[in-house]
Amino acid sequence: MFHFSNIVRSKGDPKIVEGGPSLKQPPDQLARALGWLGIGLGITEFLAPRRVTEALGMEGRETLVRAFGLREILAGVMSLSVDRNAGLWARVGGDGLDAAALLSGLTSDNPKKGNIALALLMVGGIAMLDYRAAQDTKPRRPPPNARRKLYPNRSGFPKGVQAAKGRAKEMIQHKTAGVTS
Amino acid sequence: MKALVWHGKEDIRCDTVTDPEIQDPRDAIIKVTSCAICGSDLHLFHNFIPGMMPGDIMGHETMGEVVEVGCGVDSKLKKGDRIVVPFTIICGECDQCKRGNFSVCETTNRKKHLADKVFGHSTAGLFGYTHLTGGYPGGQAEYLRVPFADATHIKVPAGIPDEQLLFLSDIFPTGWQAAVQCDIVPTDTVAIWGCGPVGQMAIRSAILLGANQVIAIDCLPERLSMAEAAGATTINFENESVLERLKELTDGKGPEKCIDCVGMESHVSASWPDTLLDRAKQMVMLESDRPHVLREMIYVCRPGGIISVPGVYSGFSDKLPMGAFMNKGLTMRTGQTHVNRWTDDLLRRIEQGEIDPSFVITHTVPLEQGPEMYQMFRDKRDSCVKVVLKP
């Protein structure tokens, strides 16, 4: 991968000889894949809602599908950002909404109920992946109530704070005297 | 050599790269003895500032020993000299350098055409800080090529540890310039948003410049304790209202001088809906910066006051209250730091024991641990305030 970046380096600048280990973990890669999947699915739902509703036998629900598409896109974008964990939890919530909407169409008179069952199965599988990725990418920030080291002795003034303030006063007096004289 | 290399968002690796070479007669190569991770490196880590390319070496806070000089460096620098490398690359000869406006040097940005298009005019070349500022390899490495080395250096004496001198490269003069820009007079209250490394330096600078009262604003106890240690009054914005406390501490008048040491990645919280909106817009590239601190400063600053902005902003900020800014007659001063304008004075203050900038270091680790330290610094784990790397 770094061979391309080496080609575009300015002449004489250091080029990569051997790559070190990446900070990216498999859950990060899973989050990225789910983010792009969401964006792809969302665009489809937003641009072609009729095809989706026809496939599911849920004609007349195009506005809902479009709204779900928009939600998928936003959650997908969030999953690709540094706030990926929030994006993934948004996706988990969205999976719930998807399932509820699909269940509402699973009626005995729906000739496409087989497709709905298949879609439910897919949503279930993706929901499991979303949940797993959300769990594995939890922010590593310490909780607000975590014990923290404090630095009450690090003034940065080797002669003390008062001496620093005194020195500042002296400098100001010196400058003022210079101006008035 | 080993170097910390940017491979993409949140992906910095310790790679083996080829050693730098002298490319121009004015170049020098240094063997890096100490380097540090800057808060502004986190903007690159998050890929919030455009213009990074996979393979770019990070780092702009570096010092070391000169091991090779180009034939055009003259007698200003020789092998064996110990130098701190200012993060702004300067030629020392252009009109701006002659005026002391080193961070807008007209010569050193080798990708001037990019900066001209984005900013209207080019600024100085910077080490390890995107291709908008020249795409120069940074100093989180074992060796560093210093372009225009005859001007781009701060010669430092032996006998003072690296830890006391390293921050002359960026955060100390940055905090100092932020305070100087405030034209502090002895009756002033200076409020400083953000108690990270630059904020800590700004606090001490404001004290050394004679401010009557310094107020430090943050939410992390370790940073607030460090600010208190220097004599600042602190406000934890998660526990109390910044606006109310600032009014209370200034008899309802507001601070005369405000310093933004936060920049484009202000804290996001449901308590401030504007931060949520900014974050959402930033995510879909409708806004590049989250300027909550700027908004708050404009609102709270005493009319006729000064707002100083050393915090990094990269592009576009929405919903800035320009009405309040104009009607209150505020002045805003900002810019990358003109490092060499201040370093003679600051080095003298270090030598005389007036200040010891090493107080801010909380973690010192080998260069190889750099990638993990980026994460630790970002996540504020282990009460991390400043990381120094030893190649």
Side-chain angles (χ1 to χ4, degrees):
Chain A
M1 188 62 190
F2 56 75
H3 299 294
F4 174 73
S5 71
N6 281 347
I7 294 168
V8 297
R9 292 285 109 208
S10 297
K11 198 182 163 205
D13 281 355
K15 293 179 174 59
I16 301 171
V17 177
E18 194 186 336
S22 171
L23 286 174
K24 296 271 183 197
Q25 299 294 315
D28 298 317
Q29 283 151 355
L30 177 61
R32 192 174 162 77
L34 289 168
W36 281 115
L37 174 73
I39 291 170
L41 201 62
I43 290 173
T44 311
E45 286 178 323
F46 190 75
L47 295 179
R50 185 171 290 267
R51 298 195 72 165
V52 176
T53 54
E54 279 172 4
L56 296 170
M58 293 171 73
E59 288 87 349
R61 312 275 287 270
E62 284 77 15
T63 310
L64 183 72
V65 171
R66 209 166 243 158
F68 277 18
L70 200 60
R71 187 209 70 219
E72 280 278 4
I73 293 168
L74 293 176
V77 168
M78 213 193 277
S79 304
L80 295 175
S81 79
V82 292
D83 299 318
R84 71 176 77 78
N85 190 254
L88 289 164
W89 282 117
R91 283 184 54 78
V92 172
D95 294 333
L97 291 175
D98 285 344
L102 286 168
L103 282 170
S104 74
L106 198 61
T107 53
S108 54
D109 59 343
N110 185 344
K112 304 278 179 63
K113 59 185 173 214
N115 287 352
I116 290 191
L118 197 65
L120 270 170
L121 205 65
M122 279 174 61
V123 167
I126 290 172
M128 283 197 322
L129 287 176
D130 285 335
Y131 182 76
R132 176 78 192 270
Q135 285 287 352
D136 291 350
T137 56
K138 271 185 188 160
R140 294 167 70 194
R141 284 170 190 263
N145 56 354
R147 282 193 68 184
R148 316 201 53 127
K149 268 186 249 166
L150 299 179
Y151 305 110
N153 301 319
R154 295 191 179 216
S155 76
F157 299 123
K159 295 172 188 167
V161 177
Q162 287 313 318
K165 286 184 174 174
R167 176 82 180 127
K169 265 188 197 154
E170 271 173 35
M171 295 291 283
I172 290 165
Q173 279 164 2
H174 182 73
K175 267 188 200 165
T176 318
V179 170
T180 49
S181 60
Chain B
M1 67 168 183
K2 292 282 181 197
L4 299 190
V5 177
W6 190 92
H7 283 266
K9 187 171 65 186
E10 298 176 294
D11 190 5
I12 285 170
R13 304 178 196 175
C14 185
D15 290 344
T16 304
V17 302
T18 54
D19 289 349
E21 297 163 5
I22 295 280
Q23 295 179 29
D24 182 276
R26 292 179 71 181
D27 285 355
I29 307 280
I30 66 160
K31 183 179 189 327
V32 177
T33 52
S34 295
C35 53
I37 301 176
C38 181
S40 62
D41 285 331
L42 292 182
H43 304 320
L44 306 180
F45 186 59
H46 288 152
N47 201 19
F48 279 143
I49 299 185
M52 288 297 281
M53 282 169 57
D56 288 345
I57 298 177
M58 299 287 296
H60 56 268
E61 295 181 1
T62 308
M63 67 179 293
E65 184 190 325
V66 177
V67 291
E68 199 179 343
V69 289
C71 58
V73 175
D74 301 328
S75 55
K76 287 177 186 154
L77 214 53
K78 60 180 190 308
K79 259 169 103 168
D81 281 347
R82 186 182 187 214
I83 63 167
V84 173
V85 182
F87 76 98
T88 44
I89 303 169
I90 60 171
C91 71
E93 293 166 348
C94 69
D95 185 41
Q96 293 286 16
C97 281
K98 282 179 185 160
R99 290 165 188 251
N101 297 331
F102 297 112
S103 77
V104 286
C105 170
E106 293 166 331
T107 313
T108 56
N109 188 343
R110 62 181 175 175
K111 296 188 177 168
K112 197 173 176 300
H113 59 285
L114 286 177
D116 277 341
K117 283 205 176 83
V118 176
F119 297 137
H121 293 88
S122 174
T123 55
L126 306 181
F127 289 100
Y129 216 79
T130 82
H131 288 260
L132 281 176
T133 56
Y136 288 101
Q140 286 166 7
E142 289 177 306
Y143 292 91
L144 173 69
R145 177 177 78 94
V146 182
F148 300 90
D150 51 336
T152 308
H153 71 266
I154 304 151
K155 223 181 259 189
V156 289
I160 304 176
D162 276 13
E163 285 70 17
Q164 287 189 34
L165 299 168
L166 175 61
F167 304 131
L168 286 170
S169 59
D170 180 354
I171 58 169
F172 189 16
T174 297
W176 184 262
Q177 179 173 300
V180 170
Q181 284 179 160
C182 285
D183 293 341
I184 292 170
V185 295
T187 52
D188 276 347
T189 292
V190 181
I192 297 169
W193 276 255
C195 298
V198 169
Q200 298 291 344
M201 296 297 167
I203 290 165
R204 278 128 188 108
S205 301
I207 288 167
L208 286 173
L209 289 167
N212 177 46
Q213 181 176 220
V214 176
I215 302 169
I217 303 157
D218 204 297
C219 67
L220 295 168
E222 62 272 22
R223 294 179 182 212
L224 291 171
S225 72
M226 209 181 250
E228 267 171 18
T233 305
T234 57
I235 300 176
N236 184 333
F237 64 75
E238 285 197 329
N239 300 339
E240 49 196 337
S241 158
V242 173
L243 302 185
E244 280 172 24
R245 273 289 281 154
L246 282 176
K247 274 192 178 170
E248 201 179 291
L249 289 165
T250 55
D251 297 327
K253 292 174 180 168
E256 288 87 0
K257 311 291 160 66
C258 298
I259 302 179
D260 173 2
C261 296
V262 175
M264 61 185 285
E265 286 191 69
S266 68
H267 192 75
V268 178
S269 164
S271 311
W272 306 286
D274 64 315
T275 63
L276 292 176
L277 189 61
D278 283 334
R279 183 67 194 101
K281 286 199 278 188
Q282 199 178 36
M283 227 176 263
V284 291
M285 296 183 197
L286 287 174
E287 186 182 21
S288 55
D289 306 327
R290 305 198 298 262
H292 173 75
V293 168
L294 279 180
R295 292 183 194 122
E296 199 162 77
M297 289 200 311
I298 291 170
Y299 190 76
V300 80
C301 188
R302 190 175 182 181
I306 295 176
I307 287 174
S308 173
V309 187
V312 172
Y313 287 86
S314 73
F316 298 96
S317 297
D318 291 351
K319 306 285 183 293
L320 282 178
M322 288 309 292
F325 183 72
M326 183 269 163
N327 284 291
K328 289 170 81 173
L330 303 179
T331 300
M332 186 184 289
R333 292 184 180 150
T334 182
Q336 296 282 7
T337 310
H338 309 300
V339 179
N340 291 65
R341 192 195 284 182
W342 316 112
T343 44
D344 287 350
D345 181 24
L346 298 181
L347 177 58
R348 182 187 55 75
R349 287 175 189 266
I350 293 169
E351 285 177 314
Q352 290 178 355
E354 267 183 51
I355 186 162
D356 174 3
S358 67
F359 76 89
V360 78
I361 302 170
T362 52
H363 293 74
T364 303
V365 299
L367 181 72
E368 289 78 4
Q369 285 181 29
E372 290 79 27
M373 296 315 286
Y374 265 89
Q375 282 184 327
M376 178 185 272
F377 184 36
R378 187 270 307 270
D379 295 338
K380 317 286 187 286
R381 276 182 276 134
D382 198 30
S383 302
C384 181
V385 179
K386 186 72 180 175
V387 179
V388 169
L389 304 167
K390 294 284 185 179

